[in-house]
Amino acid sequence: QSVLTQPPSASGTPGQRVTISCSGSSSNIGSNTVNWYKQLPGTAPKLLIYSNNHRPSGVPDRFSGSKSGTSASLAISGLQSEDEADYFCAAWDDSLNGLFGGGTKLTVL
Amino acid sequence: QVQLVESGGGLVKPGGSLRLSCAASGFTFSDFYMTWIRQAPGKGLEWVSHITYSGSTVYYADSVKGRFTISRDNAKNSLYLQMNSLRAEDTAVYYCARQMGEVPSATPPADWYFDLWGRGTLVTVSS
């Protein structure tokens, strides 16, 4: 069981806005920054958001991240078919452990 | 070309050993912390271990502490993971990743993220 809690699934129709939540505690999300990864089947994860709300070069501005207290969210606006993937949140925990969320499978209906 | 390429995975019996390697190219390897992350079949990501610039300090997940050893050779631009006393639950794709952010950090909030990943190497522990 992951210490960072994500919903196992999410869905939306093309053009819609979808959010994925990530809940932690004071020793991880509450103390450190959150990042998000997108993973397509059979491929390595790709960095989507770092330091809570920063996008690496090449990531569309349809993707945004936010953090409040011990929770974080990934928002995807203007949903597209290529957004269908698994999404993982991650944060360092002050107990000297790196933590990932269990992952959310996003389906574009 | 900036890339990470893992090798060394395969089938091993429970209790056996395996050494994974990760060859880095296209960037100054010694300027970065490096990390191993694994993913069991159909499961999520799990941080395994990371190592500081020179290799002087290492950190491990509780699930592998005492069994796995991370190391690096900056002259060869290579990262390693020596895995001993392997168990069925160690079966996973093992990814090498370039880490951004120095953790643990004396100045929170700490950044900890991975901007470059290898394609992974599959380790299967089975009799």
Side-chain angles (χ1 to χ4, degrees):
Chain A
Q1 186 176 354
S2 301
V3 178
L4 300 184
T5 302
Q6 297 181 235
S9 64
S11 63
T13 55
Q16 210 172 18
R17 183 176 187 269
V18 170
T19 61
I20 297 172
S21 61
C22 176
S23 177
S25 68
S26 58
S27 62
N28 40 71
I29 293 178
S31 300
N32 301 304
T33 64
V34 179
N35 47 100
W36 293 87
Y37 301 89
K38 173 184 178 181
Q39 186 178 35
L40 295 169
T43 69
K46 170 191 167 186
L47 181 65
L48 209 54
I49 297 288
Y50 67 95
S51 300
N52 301 329
N53 55 16
H54 291 79
R55 284 186 310 277
S57 172
V59 173
D61 60 6
R62 301 187 296 105
F63 293 89
S64 62
S66 63
K67 183 183 114 169
S68 178
T70 59
S71 294
S73 291
L74 172 71
I76 308 172
S77 60
L79 198 62
Q80 299 180 3
S81 58
E82 55 260 41
D83 299 333
E84 187 160 292
D86 292 327
Y87 292 84
F88 296 91
C89 62
W92 181 255
D93 190 285
D94 293 340
S95 65
L96 303 185
N97 273 292
L99 300 178
F100 287 92
T104 298
K105 184 176 185 61
L106 176 64
T107 301
V108 180
L109 302 170
Chain B
Q1 184 179 2
V2 178
Q3 64 176 1
L4 298 169
V5 180
E6 302 94 337
S7 60
L11 175 63
V12 61
K13 289 181 168 52
S17 298
L18 213 53
R19 188 193 196 209
L20 304 184
S21 298
C22 171
S25 59
F27 64 97
T28 304
F29 182 68
S30 58
D31 282 352
F32 296 89
Y33 281 29
M34 295 297 296
T35 298
W36 287 100
I37 294 161
R38 69 184 180 183
Q39 186 171 33
K43 301 296 184 182
L45 301 170
E46 180 186 13
W47 169 74
V48 173
S49 177
H50 78 252
I51 188 167
T52 57
Y53 305 112
S54 65
S56 59
T57 307
V58 297
Y59 299 89
Y60 298 99
D62 289 343
S63 58
V64 306
K65 203 171 292 183
R67 301 187 299 122
F68 289 12
T69 302
I70 189 172
S71 62
R72 65 190 297 165
D73 185 334
N74 287 341
K76 294 183 177 180
N77 294 330
S78 292
L79 177 72
Y80 306 101
L81 187 68
Q82 177 66 43
M83 304 186 295
N84 299 331
S85 303
L86 282 161
R87 307 166 179 166
E89 54 265 35
D90 295 318
T91 295
V93 174
Y94 285 74
Y95 295 103
C96 162
R98 186 172 74 179
Q99 180 174 320
M100 303 298 287
E102 301 175 357
V103 289
S105 172
T107 55
D111 276 333
W112 176 76
Y113 59 94
F114 312 102
D115 68 335
L116 180 65
W117 296 64
R119 290 187 172 184
T121 186
L122 176 62
V123 172
T124 303
V125 184
S126 174
S127 53

